[in-house]
Amino acid sequence: MAALIRGLRAGRVLRVAVQAKLSPQCNNVRRGFHRATLLRVADDRKSDTSVPPPSHHEVHTAGESSSTSAQGESADAAAGQGDAQPNTSYQDQSGEHSEDYETEEQLQTRILTAALEFVPQHGWTVEAIAAAAETLGLSAASTGMFNNGAGDLVLHFISQCNAHLTETLAEQHNQVQLGHTEPKETAQFLRDVVEMRLRMLTPYIDTWPQAMSILLLPHNIPDSLKHLSTMVDDIWYYAGDRSTDLNWYTRRAALTGIYNTTELVMVQDSSPDFEDTWAFLNNRIKDVVNIANTAKQVQATGEALVQGFMGAAITLKNLTGMDQRR
Amino acid sequence: MATSIRTLVLRVVGDSTRNIHHVLGSRVKHSFCNAGITVCRGYSDGKSTHFGFETVPEEDKAERVYKVFESVAKKYDVMNDAMSLGIHRLWKDTLLHIMNPQPGLRLLDTAGGTGDISFRFLEYTHSMYDRQQRQRARSNQTPSWQDLAGHYKTDEAAPSQSRAVVYDINKEMLKVGKQKAEKAGIGTGLSWVMGDAEELPFDDDQFDIYTIAFGIRNVTHIEQALQEAFRVLKPGGRFLCLEFSKVSNPLLERLYDTYSFQMIPVLGEVIAGDWKSYQYLVESIRKFPDQETFKEMIEGAGFFCVQYFNLTGGIVAIHSGFKL
């Protein structure tokens, strides 16, 4: 058994199905893992996927957990099912028992996804993670796996939301390509996308200020900036921006500003269904569009003015006879 | 009086010169010894093991370790402070911070001896519990009648929910620890059990956290102790080991070696009256595997997410693993 474990260590794989001694306390764990195992095996027979990119793995987790967020264990099992799909393709070369295993990262993802349910009660803290670990049948001491503690939880939530957003945008884009729906104009598209992304925060809006402050801690800033910039980049890509000049930067900077300020407004908004926030968002996007239009007009006017001056200068020169060749 | 001091000084000088020869002589044998022992272990259970720089039969090692700690038990804490200049307290505090235990967990403090880790664990969980209660009270401005009633009930029960078991092979060390606990007034949630780390008298899946601070290098079969730790931990439980390890910086290593072999046995003789035990201590540190090797041993026992943290430049390392 020790040799087998050592052999499988190469793939950093977690042994789930077989433990040497079972005991009543472990039954919860067995149930959860076995259910996940059954779902994984069933799912494998249905679909043969090539190695999906990590975003899809997050997407499955996000898709499953958002639809069944009310039910604890089923969400975990479903998330486990979604989690396993990348694993089976990686494990194919190393072991026959690939369906029974999940890696440490997948387990950590499962714990963090489960921890989101405890956030309204405990806030974005290690206690939420501890409570989630206990529902999964693990001891609360397993929170030590997360060296960054609450930061890990917030970053996990953000990447989950962004992955869900990207998936939705890709679907919409497909629909437009296939001709089923009309393409939206840019301002409307941005408005809808930012609203959709911010609505993902509504279940946690009471504790969101705490999450924002965690994201601003110095050791978390690189990660949170990375998530923010990739999200803004994705949004502009699906809005149709293919610019390769200074516009690339100005557009992303503008959208980052809009998103951050709208988020701040949303956090202290008490109107029904955040109407004030969407009105604020509308105004900001209108401002940006105005500025863009104004910039274009200024440029056009400037060109026209320059041409006018050139014409006047040439006329003057002609009138005074300065450019006559003798 | 003059003669006794003279004999003491002569003895000290004599011992230290003997010591230097011993160290220089055994440096060369070091690598061969290590290789020899691991080869032995690989093929058969190995008939001999290391006791400091000595080679002794395996059955004898446990007994000799017992005698060492039996003789130093009374002055153990004083010697710790003197040898490490009080830094061992910081090491143990760091272990607790890395552990970050939630209230209500069960700790098995193996080789706990005088109970340092267990006392810190109980203090930490109690203060965490208090802080959580305060936060709950702050956010809950108008508590309902049910909450108030609940608070009255749980105020006594909850802090004692975190329980620590101090487990040691040595009765003397446990005795000293019990006296310390009485003096400090820590009573609830603490148990004292005597036994061998290679054979824990507990059922499977009992503890949330297993710690072994400065004890695992004294165990004859380290792999067995690791497997026992794996057995008694609950799923999701954490294994933590605080132990002396290899220093990475060569300059610091030289200073550390000089300090270890010249100062520590002398301190042992002066404060505790026991040169040999502290000679064993510094030698056993040198025989213990380095950070990476020990990490692999922990992974071999079945732990996951194994990582180590170097403290004080590698003089001490905290290894952590999870039973998943």
Side-chain angles (χ1 to χ4, degrees), chain B residues 214-228:
Chain B
F214 301 120
I216 200 159
R217 71 180 187 283
N218 299 316
V219 171
T220 318
H221 301 109
I222 296 184
E223 280 97 353
Q224 222 167 308
L226 293 175
Q227 280 169 15
E228 278 292 283

Side-chain angles (χ1 to χ4, degrees), chain A residues 39-40 43-44 46-47 49-52 56-57 60 64 79-91 106:
Chain A
L39 285 169
R40 274 178 226 144
D43 204 61
D44 286 333
K46 271 187 268 169
S47 61
T49 49
S50 53
V51 180
H56 279 213
H57 140 255
H60 283 299
E64 305 295 2
Q81 166 218 334
D83 286 339
Q85 284 180 334
N87 179 48
T88 50
S89 37
Y90 293 144
Q91 284 312 309
Q106 287 167 347

Side-chain angles (χ1 to χ4, degrees), chain A residues 107-124:
Chain A
L107 179 64
Q108 288 181 355
T109 315
R110 267 206 305 144
I111 296 179
L112 290 178
T113 313
L116 291 176
E117 290 165 32
F118 295 91
V119 164
Q121 184 189 354
H122 293 284
W124 299 90

Side-chain angles (χ1 to χ4, degrees), chain A residues 51-96:
Chain A
V51 180
S55 60
H56 279 213
H57 140 255
E58 298 273 15
V59 154
H60 283 299
T61 322
E64 305 295 2
S65 57
S66 62
S67 59
T68 61
S69 54
Q71 304 130 29
E73 215 173 334
S74 52
D76 301 334
Q81 166 218 334
D83 286 339
Q85 284 180 334
N87 179 48
T88 50
S89 37
Y90 293 144
Q91 284 312 309
D92 271 346
Q93 53 260 40
S94 61
E96 325 81 60

Side-chain angles (χ1 to χ4, degrees), chain B residues 133-145 147-148 151:
Chain B
Q133 292 293 81
R134 259 181 285 133
Q135 268 198 338
R136 229 167 281 163
R138 218 185 303 143
S139 60
N140 203 5
Q141 263 119 11
T142 53
S144 65
W145 279 115
D147 288 340
L148 284 170
H151 277 177

Side-chain angles (χ1 to χ4, degrees), chain A residues 5-6 9 13-15 19 21 23 25-26 104 107-108 126-127 130 137-142 144-145 147, chain B residues 100 102 105 132 204-205 208-209 230-231 234-238 296 299-300 302 304-305 307 309 322-324:
Chain A
I5 292 176
R6 245 176 257 128
R9 221 196 311 138
V13 151
L14 171 64
R15 192 125 191 236
Q19 288 282 348
K21 295 155 192 162
S23 74
Q25 287 147 311
C26 290
E104 296 158 2
L107 179 64
Q108 288 181 355
V126 181
E127 283 127 49
L138 297 174
S139 153
S142 54
M145 277 197 291
N147 285 332
Chain B
N100 195 12
Q102 300 299 310
L105 295 183
Q132 282 176 8
D204 303 350
D205 304 336
D208 295 288
I209 307 174
F230 189 83
R231 183 180 66 83
K234 290 188 199 163
R238 190 170 196 185
E296 283 166 23
E299 287 177 342
F304 290 93
C305 287
Q307 51 180 267
F309 307 90
F322 290 89
K323 174 177 177 175
L324 293 175

